[in-house]
PDB file of all heavy atoms in Angstrom:
ATOM      1  N   VAL W 269     -14.087  45.164 -61.482  1.00 98.00           N
ATOM      2  CA  VAL W 269     -14.711  46.476 -61.312  1.00 98.00           C
ATOM      3  C   VAL W 269     -14.046  47.453 -62.274  1.00 98.00           C
ATOM      4  O   VAL W 269     -12.820  47.547 -62.329  1.00 98.00           O
ATOM      5  CB  VAL W 269     -14.567  47.011 -59.862  1.00 98.00           C
ATOM      6  CG1 VAL W 269     -15.248  48.377 -59.736  1.00 98.00           C
ATOM      7  CG2 VAL W 269     -15.157  46.041 -58.856  1.00 98.00           C
ATOM      8  N   SER W 368     -24.764  58.141 -52.999  1.00 94.00           N
ATOM      9  CA  SER W 368     -24.483  56.963 -53.813  1.00 94.00           C
ATOM     10  C   SER W 368     -25.803  56.321 -54.229  1.00 94.00           C
ATOM     11  O   SER W 368     -26.828  56.493 -53.563  1.00 94.00           O
ATOM     12  CB  SER W 368     -23.620  55.951 -53.052  1.00 94.00           C
ATOM     13  OG  SER W 368     -24.320  55.435 -51.941  1.00 94.00           O
ATOM     14  N   GLY W 372     -28.507  50.424 -61.981  1.00 87.00           N
ATOM     15  CA  GLY W 372     -29.207  49.344 -62.653  1.00 87.00           C
ATOM     16  C   GLY W 372     -28.261  48.196 -62.911  1.00 87.00           C
ATOM     17  O   GLY W 372     -27.061  48.284 -62.641  1.00 87.00           O
ATOM     18  N   TRP W 381     -29.593  38.897 -72.617  1.00 88.00           N
ATOM     19  CA  TRP W 381     -29.339  39.971 -71.667  1.00 88.00           C
ATOM     20  C   TRP W 381     -30.557  40.869 -71.536  1.00 88.00           C
ATOM     21  O   TRP W 381     -31.195  41.221 -72.519  1.00 88.00           O
ATOM     22  CB  TRP W 381     -28.135  40.798 -72.113  1.00 88.00           C
ATOM     23  CG  TRP W 381     -26.833  40.100 -71.898  1.00 88.00           C
ATOM     24  CD1 TRP W 381     -26.124  39.387 -72.814  1.00 88.00           C
ATOM     25  CD2 TRP W 381     -26.094  40.025 -70.669  1.00 88.00           C
ATOM     26  NE1 TRP W 381     -24.976  38.872 -72.246  1.00 88.00           N
ATOM     27  CE2 TRP W 381     -24.936  39.249 -70.932  1.00 88.00           C
ATOM     28  CE3 TRP W 381     -26.287  40.536 -69.389  1.00 88.00           C
ATOM     29  CZ2 TRP W 381     -23.979  38.983 -69.957  1.00 88.00           C
ATOM     30  CZ3 TRP W 381     -25.350  40.265 -68.410  1.00 88.00           C
ATOM     31  CH2 TRP W 381     -24.206  39.497 -68.691  1.00 88.00           C
TER      32      TRP W 381
END
Side-chain angles (χ1 to χ4, degrees):
V269 181
S368 65
W381 286 97

